Amino acid sequence: MTRRELEFGCSIVVVGVLAGLAGMATTVLLHFVEHLTYAYSFGSLLDGVSGSSPVRRAVGPMIGGALAGFGWWILRRHHEIPGLASTIANHRPIPRVSLTLDAALQVLVVGSGASLGREGAPRQMAAVLGDAGTSRWALTPGDRQILLACAAGAGLAAVYSVPVGGALFAIRIMLHTWHPRAVGAALITSALAVAVAAPVTHVRAPLVWPDRCLLVSKCDCALFPLGSLALR
């Protein structure tokens, strides 16, 4: 095994672990902002929002959005925030400070109640940590592109506990390839990231599908109301 292959293999493990840590960090920060905004200690965000006062439900997102907007205004006056995908594809240096601050502001606005999704922040944080963790190794531009794209996908996988989804995001959205080198790296990094973030995410899917039997029963009652009454 050549030195290049050894360093690439080690980089895959490092990137997977760091992406998991990035997923943990963004999840913990998101929960902190949610609990602070809606003043609840236990349960899901839906429970917290349902139990909060109408004033807090209105004022919380307003304050979070105002703070995030002011933060982005200040950030963009001093730093450029390029797109992550284009930065990786064009082999440009990762702007670690600006992407990290941008990710934190994303978590702030989402945690305070803005329905904007939470996909960007863990991808950016994972790419920043992956870039920092492998910057001293002798990687080719192509290998670096694969690793950073895999880091972004693994960060997404860590937050949502979807290793296959994170790997597919890295392979098809970030890299646009089915090359075995990229596929293997993406699968390993996403699986590692989900495992590392498991103590915080508990490997729970963010969406819970309704019970199939209950769903079929409700459909039957909706289609055949008289028959359902007769059965009762």
Side-chain angles (χ1 to χ4, degrees):
M1 179 181 293
T2 64
R3 178 183 175 182
R4 176 198 168 192
E5 297 299 327
L6 179 61
E7 289 190 350
F8 182 73
C10 293
S11 298
I12 291 175
V13 177
V14 170
V15 165
V17 173
L18 292 177
L21 295 176
M24 289 179 64
T26 52
T27 301
V28 169
L29 180 59
L30 179 68
H31 289 170
F32 172 77
V33 174
E34 290 172 349
H35 289 298
L36 182 64
T37 302
Y38 298 103
Y40 71 102
S41 300
F42 301 100
S44 65
L45 175 61
L46 180 60
D47 296 329
V49 174
S50 301
S52 63
S53 65
V55 174
R56 185 176 287 272
R57 293 180 211 167
V59 174
M62 291 171 59
I63 295 176
L67 291 175
F70 179 74
W72 273 316
W73 178 69
I74 295 293
L75 181 60
R76 280 169 168 77
R77 289 190 64 185
H78 298 87
H79 298 279
E80 181 185 0
I81 307 176
L84 182 61
S86 61
T87 300
I88 294 174
N90 295 321
H91 307 288
R92 293 199 298 263
I94 297 291
R96 299 174 190 171
V97 174
S98 60
L99 285 185
T100 300
L101 294 176
D102 180 61
L105 292 172
Q106 291 180 46
V107 174
L108 171 61
V109 74
V110 172
S112 61
S115 181
L116 300 175
R118 53 179 179 174
E119 299 86 2
R123 287 191 278 123
Q124 292 178 198
M125 284 295 299
V128 166
L129 291 181
D131 179 59
T134 60
S135 60
R136 294 184 178 274
W137 291 353
L139 298 170
T140 65
D143 286 346
R144 180 179 178 276
Q145 180 183 2
I146 291 174
L147 289 171
L148 293 180
C150 289
L156 182 68
V159 169
Y160 287 102
S161 300
V162 286
V164 176
L168 289 175
F169 177 86
I171 296 166
R172 297 305 302 158
I173 304 300
M174 299 292 291
L175 295 172
H176 308 286
T177 183
W178 288 109
H179 193 281
R181 190 179 185 86
V183 172
L187 290 172
I188 294 172
T189 52
S190 291
L192 282 174
V194 171
V196 171
V200 171
T201 62
H202 306 294
V203 199
R204 287 198 300 261
L207 299 177
V208 179
W209 292 99
D211 182 75
R212 181 176 179 275
C213 295
L214 181 61
L215 187 62
V216 171
S217 176
K218 288 183 177 180
C219 290
D220 289 341
C221 291
L223 292 173
F224 307 104
L226 297 179
S228 63
L229 290 174
L231 290 174
R232 293 177 186 177

